[in-house]
Structures are given as structure tokens and as C-alpha cells.
Amino acid sequence: MSLIKSISGIRGTIGGRAGDGLSPLDIVKFTSAYATFIRRTTTLSSNKIVVGRDARLSGEMVLNVVVGTLEGMGFDVVNIGLATTPTTEMAVVWENACGGIIITASHNPKQWNALKLLNDKGEFLTDVEGKEVLRIAEAEDFDYADVDSLGHETKTDYLDRHIQAVLDLKLVDVEAIKNAGFTVAVDAVNSIGGVAIPKLLEALGVKQVEKLFCEPTGHFGHTPEPIPANLTEVSAFMKAGKADVAFVVDPDVDRLAIIMEDGEFFVEEYTLVSIADYILSQTPGAAVSNLSSSRALRDVAAKHGCRYEAAAVGEVNVTTLMREIGAVIGGEGNGGVIYPELHYGRDALAGVALFLTLLAKSGMKVSELKKTYPQYAIAKTKLELTPGMDVDGILKAVEKHYASEKLTTIDGVKIDFEHGWAHLRKSNTEPIIRIYSEAHTMEEAEQLGADVKAIVESLI
């Protein structure tokens, strides 16, 4: 059993003893702490908190506990039920709510669930705010409402409004998409994306939608992280020549992976790179990604004469930097596109609409479009952590070992070499050190990552 408390929220496995995973008692404690934090810090007169969930098996149980706890804290709950993460984020603003909770463990397997905590802008809490929630939880520093002050629940659905907001974006060209006559495949890993993405595609005028794993049962049809090793079925479907492009989303629909017409992977990093290329060609401005994302975005920004900056890993860090420099596009290399014209959150629906617009206007096949971008490959490996490991000490040793190279230490250690880079950091969601490495070919990237990992192991 595991319970991880971080900038990415409260995440744990279902089952076992309280404190060892995301048990009902833990859900009550952390929801109460969050409600207390909102009560103490909100500047809004609103007493509403929005709650949405993905389709995973434990979702309804967790939702019921969260709703009851918030009512017990005296908050009115807007329960939007099965909803994507970006839909929930936008609903906070539309409801003028003072916060929101998204019940999803994103790409984690079915035994996991999590509470992702939002502020009144529908954006994730900062690291400092998250730590205050954890302090309140550990101290059990909260009081429940008396019987006359209990909150009430209302239920609504915001998917249609979210889709309309995407359609209304100036850089989404519905007519161009419709005229292209696309056939599009969707793999939504049996979660809410199986409802949201096909409905969006129909609204965009896509000629035909082919659905794989689109029933939102929570019985994931494959391991949910949208990486090549987990997507053999949709890849085989595309290799048979059955669609122009395939879109794959994770269970809460904030990450977007693309598969080309020949069944090969567009590569998650290039979801953001391609969409940024389109956005910057129409509305020049700054672009932001995190330290573990491809250099290709930097190169594309330079092509358009635009500024590029890198943030620490974590969506809130990316959005904070985007606000600071007025970026027009940003995101993360895991397929997370943040388009502030819509909202400051990773949004696969926006990604789908913008990519299809780009594809329609280009007149190219997806594989032809991919060849127009700077070619890099990122390798990902990890070092499993055991209890008692001094992670900070390990990273300090790495920093000392590579002192002669260009280093960035705002988030773990990133080492920039002439022909590539490696980034080591402690995961926010799993007990591991992630090691990402990039070079011009996968073989070079994998070798770079293996060399760095060997050095790290020698320093432990």
C-alpha cells in the first residue's frame, strides 16, 4: 500500500489500513484539511466547491466520501460526476466556486486514486499552499459545521460547455476540419475520455470516429499511461490503414498522445511541439515547458523569433511561469498542452482541436507533418527508491560529479551536454528518481541515460 502527499495532490492505493493508502479515513482527513484551508484563505463570498471524477473503479466511493465530508465542513458541493480534469478546472470558474477537487490518479493503474486540489481559479494549489493543507491534516486542525450549517449537494454536467468553449477558440477552424474529411481513432482507456473525445470530434465535424476502449467502465483496457508499450491495440489498428490519426488520452484527459496514420507514434513530446508551432505562427509570444521536456520546443520558438523558458516539473510550476512572462502556449512533454486562451490547465480536448486544425490546414499526413520538426528522442528510465534513502544527498552527489557541465538545479539536477541532456528528479507521484535523457537518436538518448544512471548507482 502507498500514500504519497505532494504538489500533485494526495495519491494512494485503495485498500489496507488507514495511513497506508487512500482509505476512507484518509480521504476524510485530507478533504477536511483542504476545506479548512479554503475557508481560511478564500477571498470569495462563494461557499461552493466543485467535485469531479474520472471513471476508475474506486471513483464513486471516493466521490461519496469527499462530498459528504465537504458538506460536513459546511460547503455546498457542485458534483459534476464523471468529468475530465480540464472540465472540472473550468467548472470552478464557471460556478464562481472557491475551490475544486478532482478525483483521479491520472495515469496510475486501477488500484490508485487521488485528490487533486484546486484554487478558486480552477488551478492547482502551489507547493506552499499544498504544504499548508498537509500541516492542517496532520494536526487535524479542523472543525465541522453544526446541523444548521451543513452544506448541500447539487449535480450538473459541464462537458457540453467545455466542448463549446473549445469550438469558440479563434485558432480552432471547424470548417477546415470538416472539409478535410478525417477519420479519427480514439483510445480512451475505458474512462471519461471515451465520452468526451468522441463527442468533441463529432462537434468538430470529423467524418468518422473509430472507438477503442471508450466505454467509461473503469476496467482499463490496458495500462493507462499513454506510452508506446501500453498502446499495442490502437497502434495495430492504425497500421491496418483504418484512420488518418489516432488520439490517446489518459483516464482524466489532460494528456494527449498521437499515433500517425502508419501506426507509428508521433511521440508525446511532439504533441506540444506541433501545437506550439501552430499557435506561435498565428500569435507570436513566449512558450514554456518543463525541464524534462524536449529541446524541440525551444527550437520551434526560436524559428518564430519567440522566447522560450523552462520551469520546474509540475503543472502549477509551468502555469506560474507562463503567467509571469505572458506565454501564449505552454505545457509538458508528456502530452500536456496548456493554452491560456482557454484556461491555465493541461487540456487534451483543446489539444485535439488545435492539432486537427493544424493537420487540416497543412494538407499533410501526420507522418509528413512530424518530419517538419526538429528531431530528438527522449529516453526515460528510473531508479527505485527504498525506505531511508537520502534522495537530496544523492542529487547533491550527482551535482558535484557533473560540476564541470552546465547544471540547472531548480528541480532535481539537469545536466546539459553539447549534444543532449539528462534530468534527474524525485517523482511527485511514485517512490522513484526519474531519469530523462535526450539526444538526436533514441540509441544516443538511451546510452546517455544509462551512463548517468550508472554514475548515480555508483554514488549511492
Side-chain angles (χ1 to χ4, degrees):
M1 298 295 106
S2 297
L3 184 65
I4 300 173
K5 297 164 279 189
S6 75
I7 192 172
S8 297
I10 313 302
R11 186 178 301 236
T13 50
I14 300 298
R17 298 178 61 84
D20 291 340
L22 194 65
S23 73
L25 286 177
D26 293 297
I27 298 165
V28 169
K29 181 169 76 170
F30 290 110
T31 302
S32 300
Y34 167 73
T36 299
F37 170 80
I38 292 296
R39 181 76 73 201
R40 292 173 179 174
T41 60
T42 186
T43 58
L44 299 182
S45 58
S46 170
N47 194 46
K48 293 189 288 188
I49 291 178
V50 174
V51 181
R53 71 174 181 94
D54 70 16
R56 63 184 58 232
L57 298 174
S58 60
E60 186 174 1
M61 179 276 288
V62 178
L63 177 73
N64 289 337
V65 176
V66 167
V67 170
T69 302
L70 291 173
E71 289 177 326
M73 291 295 297
F75 282 91
D76 291 331
V77 179
V78 181
N79 177 358
I80 64 172
L82 284 175
T84 76
T85 280
T87 304
T88 309
E89 292 169 346
M90 297 175 76
V92 170
V93 176
W94 289 329
E95 284 284 347
N96 193 34
C98 52
I101 296 178
I102 309 165
I103 300 166
T104 176
S106 298
H107 64 274
N108 288 102
K110 68 177 182 180
Q111 67 268 30
W112 290 81
N113 214 327
L115 309 179
K116 291 187 175 182
L117 310 177
L118 304 175
N119 61 21
D120 59 15
K121 296 182 178 66
E123 299 167 21
F124 292 118
L125 300 187
T126 66
D127 184 49
V128 171
E129 292 168 337
K131 286 176 179 175
E132 176 61 11
V133 172
L134 297 181
R135 186 202 67 76
I136 294 170
E138 293 308 309
E140 297 190 1
D141 181 21
F142 33 77
D143 294 307
Y144 295 99
D146 61 43
V147 70
D148 293 316
S149 303
L150 295 174
H152 301 282
E153 176 187 18
T154 57
K155 296 183 178 181
T156 189
D157 187 317
Y158 272 107
L159 177 58
D160 286 345
R161 185 167 177 180
H162 184 179
I163 289 173
Q164 189 58 52
V166 171
L167 299 179
D168 289 342
L169 291 170
K170 291 181 181 178
L171 293 187
V172 170
D173 192 331
V174 177
E175 195 63 25
I177 294 170
K178 182 178 180 180
N179 291 339
F182 291 131
T183 295
V184 178
V186 179
D187 178 345
V189 72
N190 297 117
S191 191
I192 181 59
V195 176
I197 301 300
K199 194 168 188 177
L200 170 67
L201 293 173
E202 290 165 7
L204 287 168
V206 166
K207 180 180 177 181
Q208 185 172 343
V209 179
E210 299 287 350
K211 302 178 184 179
L212 291 79
F213 306 117
C214 282
E215 289 293 322
T217 62
H219 292 282
F220 298 150
H222 54 76
T223 304
E225 187 169 14
I227 58 175
N230 301 332
L231 304 177
T232 55
E233 294 93 341
V234 66
S235 180
F237 182 89
M238 294 300 292
K239 284 179 180 177
K242 296 183 178 180
D244 299 296
V245 63
F247 294 121
V248 184
V249 293
D250 60 342
D252 66 325
V253 203
D254 60 356
R255 290 172 58 178
L256 175 64
I258 300 168
I259 299 178
M260 299 186 288
E261 80 286 346
D262 57 4
E264 297 300 315
F265 287 81
F266 193 68
V267 182
E268 271 190 302
E269 293 286 337
Y270 286 84
T271 299
L272 175 59
V273 171
S274 59
I275 291 170
D277 185 41
Y278 172 55
I279 297 298
L280 296 175
S281 72
Q282 303 298 311
T283 53
V288 172
S289 62
N290 66 40
L291 286 172
S292 286
S293 297
S294 176
R295 281 182 178 175
L297 181 60
R298 178 201 66 181
D299 295 352
V300 163
K303 179 183 76 172
H304 293 289
C306 294
R307 175 183 178 187
Y308 167 77
E309 296 288 344
V313 174
E315 183 173 328
V316 67
N317 297 317
V318 175
T319 57
T320 297
L321 182 56
M322 288 178 69
R323 284 186 184 278
E324 288 177 0
I325 68 174
V328 297
I329 187 66
E332 299 181 291
N334 60 9
V337 175
I338 302 171
Y339 186 41
E341 187 71 21
L342 184 63
H343 69 116
Y344 278 97
R346 295 183 302 181
D347 191 325
L349 282 79
V352 164
L354 290 166
F355 185 84
L356 283 179
T357 299
L358 167 63
L359 189 63
K361 288 178 176 292
S362 73
M364 300 180 189
K365 294 180 179 179
V366 183
S367 59
E368 295 170 340
L369 182 65
K370 172 71 184 300
K371 292 176 183 177
T372 67
Y373 299 118
Q375 298 301 300
Y376 293 98
I378 290 183
K380 301 179 182 181
T381 186
K382 59 188 177 182
L383 184 67
E384 300 286 346
L385 298 177
T386 58
M389 269 193 175
D390 180 7
V391 180
D392 292 335
I394 293 171
L395 294 176
K396 282 292 183 184
V398 171
E399 187 178 341
K400 183 177 180 180
H401 181 85
Y402 287 103
S404 62
E405 305 290 347
K406 180 183 176 183
L407 300 177
T408 305
T409 57
I410 61 172
D411 182 12
V413 180
K414 183 173 184 179
I415 312 150
D416 272 292
F417 304 101
E418 182 179 357
H419 299 297
W421 56 261
H423 185 205
L424 299 84
R425 60 182 296 277
K426 184 179 179 181
S427 171
N428 286 332
T429 58
E430 299 175 67
I432 60 175
I433 290 178
R434 298 188 188 277
I435 304 175
Y436 288 11
S437 52
E438 182 176 64
H440 284 292
T441 69
M442 182 57 74
E443 291 77 12
E444 293 170 335
E446 288 175 344
Q447 186 61 56
L448 178 58
D451 291 345
V452 171
K453 183 178 180 180
I455 293 295
V456 176
E457 290 174 332
S458 74
L459 296 172
I460 295 176

